Amino acid sequence: LQELSRLFSFAHPNAGRRDYADAIIAENCLGKPTASTRRLTSQRMGELYGLDPAIPLFLALRKLWDRDEIGRPLLALLCALARDPLLLSTAGAILDLRSGEDFRREPMRACLRGVVGERLNDSILDKVVRNAASTWTQSGHLRGRTLKIRHLVTPTPAAIAFALYIAHLMGYRGSELFCSKWISLLDCMPERCRNLALEAKRLGYLDMRMAGDVVEIHFHRLVSAG
């Protein structure tokens, strides 16, 4: 999250994939000690976030990022979850926890093992659990260092707009958008989501019409160039 913030502060909002790569590798905007670590960072950040406005998901992320500083941790998390199936598989181990409940590594480890089978050995799996727990801490879903507890996050209208857009990409339509797993990742109930979606509409993040149970949401504002 810190490196993504530094990269976006350094690069122009309309930067392309080559520009981001140059910023990381040639300009060393992230302060990496060697050329090899710069190249690896560029590769891994590209895999996780896209870093290419030709990718609609990244284009939406970049637009919302510049307009919502508070929601940035949740925006980064949603983009990473949408692009990294391994990280997404850990979501159940977080969302199943009640507010204030201790985070335990074994349920997350079991979620991951169910996805990867025997392709990862135990030491690699434990490293993935540590990294995933760090990700959920940076997003605000967990608090603490050695002993972590579940914390309910507070979504912003921009985060809701991004979650709705991802749900739309995944095939959700109408009122079911408010009940998707992408909204649950923000600890948001459907009624609260509706209210935040209306605020997102007011802020110009999306277009929405509601008439009773009929809901239409359009996202061209997020993915149009410029």
Side-chain angles (χ1 to χ4, degrees), residues 79-106:
C79 186
L81 289 169
R83 291 179 58 85
D84 186 346
L86 200 60
L87 179 60
L88 183 60
S89 72
T90 69
I94 299 299
L95 299 183
D96 288 345
L97 296 174
R98 298 184 302 274
S99 178
E101 187 175 354
D102 290 344
F103 166 75
R104 294 179 296 111
R105 294 178 180 271
E106 188 52 41

Side-chain angles (χ1 to χ4, degrees), residues 159-190:
I160 287 293
F162 197 38
L164 290 170
Y165 176 58
I166 297 172
H168 176 82
L169 294 177
M170 298 298 295
Y172 292 87
R173 294 294 184 270
S175 59
E176 67 180 6
L177 285 164
F178 302 129
C179 306
S180 79
K181 65 180 180 182
W182 300 97
I183 297 302
S184 67
L185 288 164
L186 301 179
D187 296 328
C188 191
M189 300 298 289

Side-chain angles (χ1 to χ4, degrees), residues 10-66:
F10 185 89
H12 190 275
N14 296 325
R17 181 66 186 97
R18 178 63 181 270
D19 299 316
Y20 286 111
D22 286 345
I24 297 170
I25 299 171
E27 302 294 333
N28 196 22
C29 70
L30 301 181
K32 298 297 179 179
T34 65
S36 60
T37 55
R38 295 172 204 168
R39 289 192 295 269
L40 184 60
T41 297
S42 178
Q43 175 188 333
R44 290 187 171 171
M45 291 187 73
E47 292 169 351
L48 198 57
Y49 301 109
L51 302 185
D52 187 346
I55 301 172
L57 187 71
F58 175 77
L59 182 60
L61 169 69
R62 193 67 174 92
K63 285 189 174 184
L64 291 169
W65 186 276
D66 291 334

Side-chain angles (χ1 to χ4, degrees), residues 150-165:
R150 178 73 160 91
H151 174 73
L152 298 182
V153 298
T154 301
T156 61
I160 287 293
F162 197 38
L164 290 170
Y165 176 58

Side-chain angles (χ1 to χ4, degrees), residues 118-179:
E118 300 302 319
R119 294 195 300 274
L120 300 181
N121 62 39
D122 288 344
S123 62
I124 295 296
L125 203 62
D126 287 340
K127 181 178 180 180
V128 174
V129 169
R130 290 194 299 272
N131 289 341
S134 174
T135 294
W136 290 105
T137 303
Q138 291 181 69
S139 70
H141 289 78
L142 295 176
R143 284 188 173 177
R145 294 180 64 85
T146 304
L147 300 176
K148 299 181 183 294
I149 63 170
R150 178 73 160 91
H151 174 73
L152 298 182
V153 298
T154 301
T156 61
I160 287 293
F162 197 38
L164 290 170
Y165 176 58
I166 297 172
H168 176 82
L169 294 177
M170 298 298 295
Y172 292 87
R173 294 294 184 270
S175 59
E176 67 180 6
L177 285 164
F178 302 129
C179 306

